[in-house]
Amino acid sequence: MKMKHGWIYLLLLSILVTGCNASNTSQGKKNEKTATSQSKKNEKTAKTQSKATKQKRPARSVAIQKLDDSKMNIVIFLNRAEHVVEDVYYAAIDHTKGKTAHEDGITYLELPKRFDSKDKVIAYFSKFWSRSLSEALYDNLSTKQIKNKLYVAIPNVDYPVLISVRNTAVEKLNSEIRVSVQNVTDPAFSSDRTLRYQLMRDDKTKRYEIKSRMGTYGNDQFQ
């Protein structure tokens, strides 16, 4: 009889031990699953925050970089630089949904989103010109702020230029590029038809930008 009861006790003890182990194993798996789920959630949150931060960070406009390769690269760069103001004017003309304002006999055209603030216009100019020259270019525009929208008046004066590999001389130094352009415009437009540029690398971006533009033709745009 005692032997029979002994087997019963051993059986009950075995069941209790097995149940405890199963419970501990189940709880362990549950905890592990919860930890994994929380880890994935934290990782997803971190990625979302990182993406949001990148989207909020404003894009920095920088000057062109590869000008050392050939004279043609420099010619293309200077031609683009000399037409940045016309790019802004054309953007206003081409802005089909833009409004028109009239004041003191002057017509102002609304600029599209890419040029709808002073900072954006100067940032575009700064792709080619130094900060000081970019600001001077902007200050010589005829602009008006209307209901938080930037408008520009298109003048009746322009400065057509001819910059080609045929009339351009380039001198490359260690930290700068000096460019001289002869016969940059028609004799009927100016008696002084020579322009000289000094291109230097920006300290932060290490990209070239125009630090100075010497010559009387079109110089009033920078004064």
Side-chain angles (χ1 to χ4, degrees):
M1 188 70 177
K2 289 183 179 180
M3 181 65 70
K4 184 177 180 180
H5 288 167
W7 280 107
I8 293 174
Y9 292 148
L10 289 174
L11 180 60
L12 290 174
L13 181 61
S14 176
I15 292 172
L16 288 173
V17 171
T18 303
C20 289
N21 289 339
S23 177
N24 291 337
T25 301
S26 176
Q27 184 63 36
K29 289 183 178 180
K30 184 177 180 180
N31 292 340
E32 183 179 351
K33 185 177 180 181
T34 302
T36 302
S37 177
Q38 185 63 37
S39 177
K40 289 182 178 180
K41 184 177 180 181
N42 292 339
E43 184 179 352
K44 184 177 180 180
T45 302
K47 287 182 178 179
T48 302
Q49 291 175 345
S50 176
K51 185 177 180 181
T53 302
K54 289 181 180 179
Q55 289 176 343
K56 290 180 180 179
R57 189 178 301 158
R60 175 177 170 79
S61 295
V62 292
I64 195 169
Q65 186 176 19
K66 298 179 180 178
L67 293 183
D68 294 328
D69 296 344
S70 70
K71 181 192 289 189
M72 189 63 187
N73 290 7
I74 296 172
V75 166
I76 293 172
F77 175 78
L78 292 178
N79 272 296
R80 290 292 306 277
E82 287 288 346
H83 290 89
V84 291
V85 172
E86 283 84 353
D87 290 343
V88 174
Y89 292 153
Y90 182 75
I93 295 171
D94 196 47
H95 187 23
T96 55
K97 296 182 179 180
K99 297 180 180 179
T100 301
H102 302 278
E103 185 174 311
D104 298 329
I106 301 175
T107 300
Y108 293 88
L109 303 180
E110 182 184 347
L111 285 163
K113 188 174 182 179
R114 63 183 293 230
F115 291 137
D116 65 358
S117 71
K118 177 180 179 179
D119 289 341
K120 288 183 180 180
V121 175
I122 291 178
Y124 177 69
F125 291 167
S126 296
K127 290 183 176 181
F128 307 93
W129 304 92
S130 67
R131 180 73 186 187
S132 59
L133 291 178
S134 296
E135 290 177 347
L137 276 172
Y138 180 86
D139 290 341
N140 279 282
L141 298 178
S142 181
T143 59
K144 182 171 288 294
Q145 198 83 20
I146 303 175
K147 295 182 179 179
N148 296 322
K149 300 290 185 179
L150 187 64
Y151 288 66
V152 66
I154 300 177
N156 294 319
V157 178
D158 62 350
Y159 298 94
V161 295
L162 172 62
I163 303 176
S164 166
V165 291
R166 302 178 186 181
N167 66 341
T168 300
V170 176
E171 181 183 5
K172 298 179 182 179
L173 303 176
N174 291 333
S175 59
E176 64 179 289
I177 299 175
R178 295 177 183 175
V179 184
S180 177
V181 184
Q182 305 291 331
N183 302 318
V184 74
T185 191
D186 190 277
F189 298 151
S190 177
S191 58
D192 182 1
R193 296 181 292 136
T194 299
L195 289 178
R196 294 180 176 85
Y197 302 88
Q198 181 189 34
L199 283 65
M200 298 186 68
R201 290 189 183 276
D202 181 83
D203 292 335
K204 293 183 178 180
T205 65
K206 305 303 179 185
R207 297 171 183 265
Y208 282 108
E209 61 185 18
I210 303 172
K211 288 291 186 181
S212 68
R213 178 190 187 275
M214 293 171 284
T216 58
Y217 182 66
N219 195 44
D220 52 346
Q221 299 177 96
F222 300 91
Q223 295 179 347

